Amino acid sequence: MKLSNELFFAQVESLLSTGEEVEILVKGHSMTPLMLSGKDVAILRSATDADIKVGAVVLFRYRGAHVLHRIEKIEGDRITFAGDGNYKIKEVATRQDIVAVMVAVKRSSGRRVECSGKSWRWQSRAWLTLPAFARRVILGIRRRLIA
């Protein structure tokens, strides 16, 4: 049985509202290379005001869909998001659109990587420090090697 995204994310939001952690399989390549489509699982919990900060990866509502991207900039209630693998596309939404914060990533090996841990923070910082041009080249090479 296939569940529509609308029903799936309604259930995700319902579970999050009870304080449950929710695991969702990463789909799409916008968070590459730190998260791999069809392999990594994002572990989410309901977001608090303290979680809404630059660099956090959050699940948010955007144009009728749910998106898992990193907070790039906060200007009052207006928040700009971008996927790690997106060097041009950005989304803008409000604090009220944020559904959850990613607290960990479960790798295909089953290993859990905490977002508050040194490994995740170092990898994120290293990737995001690279200029957009360098990230674009690395992603292009990676796509060609995997294809």
Side-chain angles (χ1 to χ4, degrees):
M1 179 173 108
K2 192 170 183 174
L3 192 63
S4 73
N5 274 353
E6 185 178 327
L7 288 174
F8 174 78
F9 283 107
Q11 186 64 32
V12 166
E13 288 197 36
S14 176
L15 288 169
L16 288 165
S17 72
T18 67
E20 295 281 329
E21 274 190 354
V22 176
E23 298 183 4
I24 60 172
L25 182 65
V26 174
K27 291 288 189 182
H29 301 284
S30 67
M31 288 301 288
T32 302
L34 298 181
M35 297 174 68
L36 302 178
S37 180
K39 294 182 180 182
D40 291 332
V41 173
I43 301 173
L44 308 169
R45 72 164 165 72
S46 188
T48 65
D49 283 339
D51 295 320
I52 301 173
K53 56 188 171 191
V54 172
V57 176
V58 297
L59 179 69
F60 63 100
R61 293 180 214 94
Y62 182 72
R63 295 186 178 173
H66 284 73
V67 180
L68 185 71
H69 279 170
R70 193 178 299 273
I71 295 176
E72 186 174 87
K73 184 171 33 170
I74 300 173
E75 297 172 310
D77 194 42
R78 180 185 158 111
I79 301 176
T80 304
F81 305 88
D84 291 349
N86 291 341
Y87 46 88
K88 289 184 181 179
I89 301 169
K90 299 187 185 317
E91 301 89 11
V92 176
T94 66
R95 288 176 183 271
Q96 292 74 31
D97 294 315
I98 295 175
V99 174
V101 62
M102 187 174 79
V103 294
V105 178
K106 189 181 334 177
R107 300 297 185 195
S108 57
S109 66
R111 183 173 67 98
R112 181 175 165 133
V113 178
E114 300 293 329
C115 293
S116 60
K118 287 181 185 178
S119 174
W120 178 261
R121 290 190 339 246
W122 182 87
Q123 289 174 28
S124 296
R125 194 172 304 123
W127 178 250
L128 297 172
T129 300
L130 292 173
F133 172 77
R135 286 186 284 171
R136 186 171 63 238
V137 169
I138 291 167
L139 290 170
I141 291 168
R142 185 179 185 285
R143 273 193 295 276
R144 285 177 184 85
L145 291 174
I146 291 174

